[in-house]
Amino acid sequence: MPIQRSVAMTDMDKNYDHRKHEREIYEKWEPYFTPSFAKASEGKPYTILMPPPNANASLHAGHAMYTIDDIVIRWKRMQGFSSVWIPGIDHAGFETQFVYEKELAKKGKSRFDFDRQTFYENVYKFVEKNSGLIYEQFKQLGFSADWDRSVFTLDKNVISQVFETFSRLEREGKVYRDEYIVNYCTHCGTSLAELEVEHEERNDPLYYMKYGPFVLATVRPETKFGDTAVAINPKDTRYQKYVGQVIEVEGLIGKFRVKVIADDAVEQKFGTGVVKVTPAHDPNDFEMGKRHGLEIKQVIGLDGKLNDKTGPYRGLKVNEARKRVVEDLYKAGLIDRVDETYKHSVGVCYRCKRTVEPMVVPNWFIKVDELKGPVIEAVKNDRVKFYPKRFKKQMLNWLEIMHDWPISRQIAWGIRIPVWYEVTDQANLYAVWLDKNGQKQEGLVYKYKDRLAEIEAGLQKVTAVTGPSGPKYKVSANKPGDNYLPETDTFDTWFSSGQWPLVTLKKDEFDTRFPTDMMGTLADILKFWVSRMIMFSLYLKNEVPFKDVYLWSMVADTKGVKMSKSKGNVVNPIDLVNKYGADALRVALVYGVAPGSKIPLSEEKVRGMRNFANKIWNIARFVESANHSSQTANPVEDDNWIMDELNKLIKSVTVSLEKYRFNDAAESMYEFVWHKFADVYIEKVKGRKEGASPTLRHVLITCLKLLHPFMPFVTEAIWWEIKDLRKYPDEMLITTAWPE
RNA sequence: GGAGCCAUGGCUCAGUUGGUAGAGCGUCUCUUUUACACAGAGAAGGUCACAGGUUCGAGUCCUGUUGGCUCCACCA
């Protein structure tokens, strides 16, 4: 039995130990991640842009799904494309500032202790400390991105692109500034786009309040001080006679008068069919106010406390104020009855989970009507294709209802909106700043005209009146003159990351690499990000940013439950890599997972895939040992069978990858390698008198190539071990050609 | 309220144009055989949620019911 004895002739370990190989292999690979080094640089360009992870983030299970991108880029590289995967980091304004402020809070400080410039620089330092770490983790997963090309969304070229885009939008009348009712998080101190608001089912008492001649239902009695009308449905015969009248209402701080209006927005069936209208603190009322020219009377400040228009309730936070107001209403006999069973949904901040306060705040908006048309067109015509298909419908659904985009964020960590307000003698500009002694000051800017330099140096926030009486402003990256103060709002993060395809590619690459080929990302950010990238690309380049979008869902735990810290079911992918190897984790993320569905990640599954890696290793050990023993050059009957199967496999894996059916590819390789090649063919070879034929090593070598995009480390490790079996012993697997 | 998706062996899930049910993990039996016990050989286990319909034939298409998920809209 020559084959058996010859086992000693290979020095391969009995089991594959990823710890011995992964680091060394990765270092040897790195030069090939950039197309200029690869021998394929003359091939057709193939480009993937990495969805930039947040600057504050360390690697979580979701990032491990970038494995998809890596599989594709490795496969294309082997196919001879000039392949590049461009990575980057997103400053993630709101997210990162939130995390940083939590750190600050531990030291007993808050953002209000700093001027915005200093605060910004502090966050920058904080982020710099973390950056690099996530790339190291990506490397542990084997990702073959061109790290030298990394782009950060606060890099100079990104900021200037963002400025340029904004200026152009402004010049073309697609930007406007308006008082608008936005969802405002008083805790985080910023307005939120609708997408950033989550809805929670709540049980709140519905108070039936006596209100002049009416009884009306409300869950927010504390906003009573901001009421500027009472509304009924125009068809409601019960109250017809009141319409147009001014009624007197007994309030808690004296009587006040409001007009009775008729509006279709009022449901006759809800409550008593009468509703109080508070344009400053309710989105529907705001709209109603616009239709009827009602006064916007703000009674809650941006700090979440009732203001001086509320008499004794001034300074109370909303919840506290509600309690007190209800008590006092009872005392005054103004509560008719209470429905304690009332359920409704309440908007909460996606970040801190506190109730958002609808608030009227000056905001910058992008008009999307004209911008979204071409996007809809492009999606409908499959100029951007979605995998799986159902996301096309979701995208179109969203685009249809997409409306003007509020891009102002009242946070410092981000790209400042490049606008400067002219300081005149008008009372239209209000500022908050730290004076030279570090003391907080605030007031109308015209009163401090002689101290502009000091204000600007210690500036925290500028608020400008909107409309015709507001200050003149100039859009400019740099200060346009002495009498100007900068806008302090920053852009919504998605405004800059939405231009990702435009800032990651070099100027001369737009001819060859644009549109890019594939965008692989989490389905959750389809609306936030993918839609905006398509929109900006079409607007600025008249071209879609990528041809294909492949979407996946969240990585979940064993039970299919979303991972979260509070549930304690978070799995750290790096732990799994350390324990079972990067290859095992990578295959576990695609094996048995349908496109677009959520990905249940269990340690058992990763272990199973580690076993598969070991199986491949041992197949190689066998082939290696067989090579040193007797063999025959003559094909044997079994060879035809395995060659047929192998050719079928090559075709099916290639086709599966073309269709982004990663599961199909992984499963068919697993099935072939383990249950056909090992269990059947190799067992037969063992029993042969003539020994092994060259087919044995041919099948192994082909399998290694097919498996490489999925399991790059173990395949490359074997590749180095079996040098004597190959035609070109010095060649690395990463640069070999894809089998055909 | 609108849209989409899902319900398949103990668990987690595959199943691309309709043609007699699959995987991984788990379970049971045997085997420490010499590539691998991170293994091999074998076994048990599913009327593919329910009710109709189309078809020669349906897990796969259509309708309805029940249960679950996601997105969107939203009544104070």
Side-chain angles (χ1 to χ4, degrees):
Chain A
M1 287 294 182
I3 293 172
Q4 294 144 13
R5 238 177 284 122
S6 67
V7 169
M9 292 174 78
T10 115
D11 53 4
M12 289 173 78
D13 292 340
K14 195 168 165 187
N15 286 322
Y16 171 65
D17 182 0
H18 60 276
R19 294 181 199 87
K20 284 191 186 171
H21 302 277
E22 292 189 349
R23 188 174 299 272
E24 188 195 348
I25 289 173
Y26 196 88
E27 280 166 16
K28 295 208 175 159
W29 277 341
E30 276 201 82
Y32 298 96
F33 298 167
T34 165
S36 57
F37 277 92
K39 65 179 179 185
S41 61
E42 275 146 42
K44 262 177 73 182
Y46 189 90
T47 314
I48 298 178
L49 305 175
M50 179 185 288
N54 291 352
N56 64 304
S58 72
L59 189 93
H60 55 72
H63 294 122
M65 279 308 287
Y66 290 2
T67 293
I68 296 288
D69 289 19
D70 194 52
I71 289 170
V72 174
I73 205 75
R74 283 177 181 273
W75 169 55
K76 288 291 172 183
R77 198 180 285 124
M78 291 174 79
Q79 281 193 325
F81 287 84
S82 167
S83 305
V84 62
W85 184 19
I86 305 173
I89 303 279
D90 187 23
H91 69 278
F94 186 26
E95 295 276 338
T96 304
Q97 179 163 330
F98 185 82
V99 172
Y100 178 71
E101 283 190 50
K102 265 167 76 178
E103 292 293 310
L104 266 188
K106 285 181 196 159
K107 297 176 200 154
K109 299 226 171 197
S110 85
R111 65 176 179 277
F112 301 111
D113 296 325
F114 306 91
D115 65 84
R116 52 180 317 286
Q117 191 55 36
T118 308
F119 184 80
Y120 179 94
E121 283 159 14
N122 289 348
V123 183
Y124 207 107
K125 282 177 207 149
F126 171 73
V127 162
E128 255 182 345
K129 257 198 290 181
N130 291 359
S131 71
L133 179 65
I134 197 159
Y135 280 175
E136 284 314 305
Q137 294 173 318
F138 281 170
K139 290 177 183 181
Q140 281 184 265
L141 285 160
F143 293 172
S144 61
D146 189 349
W147 305 111
D148 293 340
R149 290 196 59 171
S150 176
V151 176
F152 180 43
T153 53
L154 294 179
D155 286 346
K156 271 188 190 144
N157 69 310
V158 181
I159 292 176
S160 66
Q161 171 70 57
V162 167
F163 279 6
E164 202 181 306
T165 305
F166 180 77
S167 312
R168 180 169 160 191
L169 285 163
E170 206 269 343
R171 275 200 311 278
E172 295 181 3
K174 292 185 170 68
V175 171
Y176 64 95
R177 214 171 152 264
D178 198 7
E179 290 281 325
Y180 196 76
I181 191 143
V182 292
N183 297 294
Y184 195 87
C185 177
T186 55
H187 176 259
C188 296
T190 189
S191 56
L192 302 171
E194 269 155 75
L195 288 170
E196 293 167 330
V197 177
E198 288 173 2
H199 295 272
E200 257 180 38
E201 190 86 346
R202 288 265 180 85
N203 191 343
D204 284 316
L206 182 65
Y207 300 99
Y208 284 78
M209 199 159 67
K210 289 178 186 161
Y211 206 91
F214 309 112
V215 169
L216 58 77
T218 180
V219 286
R220 301 206 60 186
E222 77 281 6
T223 61
K224 182 174 182 177
F225 312 109
D227 294 352
T228 52
V230 164
I232 58 141
N233 189 291
K235 291 186 194 123
D236 197 331
T237 49
R238 293 174 292 179
Y239 308 113
Q240 279 298 348
K241 60 179 174 182
Y242 293 105
V243 175
Q245 286 185 18
V246 173
I247 60 160
E248 193 174 65
V249 180
E250 189 71 44
L252 294 170
I253 50 173
K255 293 178 179 174
F256 61 94
R257 291 159 170 273
V258 293
K259 199 173 160 189
V260 181
I261 58 171
D263 196 288
D264 288 326
V266 182
E267 287 282 337
Q268 295 184 47
K269 281 169 282 179
F270 187 87
T272 57
V274 185
V275 61
K276 70 192 198 64
V277 185
T278 322
H281 298 292
D282 182 281
N284 292 313
D285 294 5
F286 182 82
E287 291 300 324
M288 231 187 276
K290 266 203 210 163
R291 289 195 286 271
H292 298 272
L294 301 176
E295 186 200 345
I296 297 172
K297 190 176 168 195
Q298 192 161 337
V299 293
I300 300 168
L302 296 183
D303 54 3
K305 294 172 180 169
L306 271 65
N307 66 16
D308 48 16
K309 290 181 188 135
T310 64
Y313 306 100
R314 178 192 170 170
L316 293 179
K317 287 201 166 183
V318 168
N319 284 339
E320 189 58 29
R322 186 180 305 175
K323 252 192 244 168
R324 289 273 297 278
V325 166
V326 169
E327 278 172 26
D328 294 345
L329 285 170
Y330 268 116
K331 282 182 199 153
L334 292 172
I335 298 279
D336 184 77
R337 61 187 189 276
V338 184
D339 179 358
E340 296 281 359
T341 64
Y342 181 63
K343 279 205 182 110
H344 65 150
S345 79
V346 176
V348 298
C349 172
Y350 84 100
R351 193 57 267 194
C352 72
K353 307 295 178 192
R354 288 176 174 82
T355 310
V356 296
E357 200 59 53
M359 204 82 86
V360 176
V361 175
N363 251 276
W364 291 92
F365 285 86
I366 304 290
K367 286 186 199 167
V368 299
D369 284 0
E370 290 172 39
L371 295 175
K372 75 178 183 180
V375 182
I376 293 172
E377 206 59 27
V379 173
K380 273 189 182 159
N381 296 335
D382 293 333
R383 283 171 65 201
V384 179
K385 276 191 195 159
F386 291 83
Y387 298 86
K389 276 192 290 232
R390 75 184 127 96
F391 288 109
K392 174 180 177 178
K393 204 162 194 179
Q394 198 171 312
M395 185 85 252
L396 285 170
N397 255 338
W398 157 249
L399 286 167
E400 299 290 345
I401 58 157
M402 182 182 190
H403 44 256
D404 289 1
W405 177 13
I407 53 167
S408 312
R409 292 299 115 98
Q410 289 73 37
I411 53 178
W413 179 241
I415 301 176
R416 195 182 64 81
I417 296 178
V419 163
W420 299 78
Y421 295 108
E422 193 183 353
V423 178
T424 60
D425 291 329
Q426 307 291 309
N428 54 16
L429 207 54
Y430 190 88
V432 181
W433 73 94
L434 299 178
D435 67 18
K436 48 189 174 219
N437 303 317
Q439 294 302 303
K440 188 174 171 183
Q441 305 287 341
E442 58 185 297
L444 290 161
V445 174
Y446 79 99
K447 291 183 185 167
Y448 301 88
K449 270 187 85 172
D450 51 333
R451 292 167 64 186
L452 272 190
E454 189 188 337
I455 292 178
E456 195 181 340
L459 196 60
Q460 285 189 332
K461 173 136 188 58
V462 160
T463 310
V465 169
T466 58
S469 60
K472 286 186 184 152
Y473 64 81
K474 284 189 174 159
V475 175
S476 164
N478 304 308
K479 190 171 179 178
D482 287 341
N483 279 339
Y484 284 87
L485 279 182
E487 168 65 86
T488 46
D489 283 357
T490 46
F491 286 108
D492 177 6
T493 295
W494 304 106
F495 188 85
S496 45
S497 59
Q499 297 173 62
W500 193 235
L502 305 164
V503 297
T504 40
L505 289 179
K506 295 173 191 153
K507 280 209 173 83
D508 61 350
E509 287 176 321
F510 280 92
D511 293 337
T512 52
R513 295 191 179 274
F514 196 77
T516 62
D517 294 276
M518 184 193 83
M519 168 55 60
T521 193
L522 184 67
D524 290 18
I525 53 177
L526 194 65
K527 303 180 289 285
F528 293 98
W529 193 45
V530 177
S531 67
R532 268 78 179 257
M533 281 193 287
I534 304 175
M535 190 175 92
F536 279 126
S537 271
L538 285 166
Y539 175 57
L540 298 166
K541 294 280 180 190
N542 200 25
E543 181 58 274
V544 294
F546 26 72
K547 296 168 198 156
D548 292 345
V549 181
Y550 179 84
L551 296 153
W552 59 79
S553 300
M554 80 217 174
V555 177
D557 71 4
T558 322
K559 297 285 171 201
V561 179
K562 188 174 183 172
M563 290 181 186
S564 73
K565 278 182 197 158
S566 56
K567 284 185 197 122
N569 61 350
V570 177
V571 175
N572 180 353
I574 294 301
D575 292 344
L576 292 169
V577 168
N578 289 334
K579 208 164 169 187
Y580 299 109
D583 299 316
L585 176 65
R586 291 167 62 111
V587 190
L589 290 170
V590 297
Y591 189 94
V593 175
S597 68
K598 67 183 173 191
I599 300 117
L601 180 61
S602 65
E603 182 158 346
E604 291 72 31
K605 189 169 174 188
V606 179
R607 195 195 305 135
M609 295 305 141
R610 185 275 315 262
N611 294 352
F612 180 48
N614 187 56
K615 187 75 187 178
I616 303 165
W617 177 262
N618 272 290
I619 288 170
R621 271 183 92 208
F622 175 81
V623 177
E624 175 77 0
S625 63
N627 189 51
H628 295 297
S629 66
S630 74
Q631 31 174 314
T632 172
N634 305 322
V636 189
E637 198 177 328
D638 305 324
D639 292 351
N640 296 330
W641 168 76
I642 198 71
M643 283 303 292
D644 282 353
E645 291 294 327
L646 181 68
N647 287 328
K648 275 193 258 173
L649 180 72
I650 294 169
K651 274 196 196 105
S652 80
V653 169
T654 306
V655 168
S656 296
L657 285 174
E658 275 160 4
K659 294 180 179 170
Y660 303 108
R661 299 192 64 92
F662 303 99
N663 169 43
D664 290 359
E667 245 177 33
S668 54
M669 288 190 290
Y670 187 103
E671 160 70 17
F672 176 87
V673 169
W674 201 312
H675 301 302
K676 289 188 178 130
F677 188 36
D679 289 350
V680 180
Y681 183 73
I682 286 183
E683 289 306 315
K684 281 188 175 163
V685 170
K686 280 188 198 171
R688 273 188 203 162
K689 286 181 194 132
E690 320 85 305
S693 70
T695 305
L696 181 65
R697 91 176 82 120
H698 173 78
V699 176
L700 171 67
I701 284 171
T702 308
C703 285
L704 292 176
K705 291 178 181 179
L706 293 175
L707 285 163
H708 182 259
F710 293 78
M711 309 178 82
F713 288 108
V714 67
T715 51
E716 186 78 72
I718 293 168
W719 193 252
W720 294 2
E721 296 284 351
I722 59 167
K723 276 181 197 266
D724 52 326
L725 299 184
R726 292 159 18 204
K727 203 168 169 190
Y728 306 106
D730 292 333
E731 190 181 36
M732 290 180 65
L733 182 55
I734 188 174
T735 64
T736 56
W738 187 251
E740 285 178 41

